[in-house]
Amino acid sequence: QVQLVESGGGLVQAGGSLRLSCAASGRIFSINTMGWYRQAPGKQRDVVATMANSGGTKYADSVKGRFTISRDNAKNTVYLQMNSLKPEDTGVYYCYYHNAETSDYWGQGTQVTVSA
């Protein structure tokens, strides 16, 4: 089992910044991918950014140039720095952990609200 604990969501005005953190604990495999998905009201959960333990990253087109994902492998923690936030970035952000040997795991979600 893997537990994911997120923090850092909140309310911010358009153009502002937030930083999300997600700490993983439990049965962590050294080769893994962690990242962030978001779900807006009435919409499906979509990928925002992911990062492999090797450093490879992927971003949704809508956040490229504004969001930066990073991780501290020693702490099993992944971060999402969100700059130039837009109202359309509003949603519940879920931390994600993937390893080929186990099931995927999700955090409980943290709300991000961007006001116009």
Side-chain angles (χ1 to χ4, degrees), residues 46-67:
D46 289 326
V47 63
V48 175
T50 62
M51 188 171 190
N53 63 291
S54 60
T57 58
K58 294 182 180 179
Y59 291 92
D61 288 342
S62 61
V63 307
K64 286 180 180 177
R66 300 187 298 121
F67 291 11

Side-chain angles (χ1 to χ4, degrees), residues 75-88:
K75 296 181 179 180
N76 294 318
T77 299
V78 64
Y79 306 95
L80 185 67
Q81 178 66 44
M82 305 185 292
N83 298 327
S84 301
L85 282 160
K86 303 176 181 180
E88 51 263 45

Side-chain angles (χ1 to χ4, degrees), residues 12-82:
V12 65
Q13 289 186 331
S17 299
L18 284 174
R19 188 188 192 216
L20 305 183
S21 300
C22 173
S25 61
R27 193 180 181 208
I28 306 296
F29 287 79
S30 59
I31 299 175
N32 61 68
T33 296
M34 294 184 70
W36 297 91
Y37 282 65
R38 71 184 173 198
Q39 188 166 19
K43 295 187 177 181
Q44 68 180 19
R45 190 178 299 186
D46 289 326
V47 63
V48 175
T50 62
M51 188 171 190
N53 63 291
S54 60
T57 58
K58 294 182 180 179
Y59 291 92
D61 288 342
S62 61
V63 307
K64 286 180 180 177
R66 300 187 298 121
F67 291 11
T68 303
I69 189 170
S70 61
R71 56 187 291 171
D72 183 335
N73 290 333
K75 296 181 179 180
N76 294 318
T77 299
V78 64
Y79 306 95
L80 185 67
Q81 178 66 44
M82 305 185 292

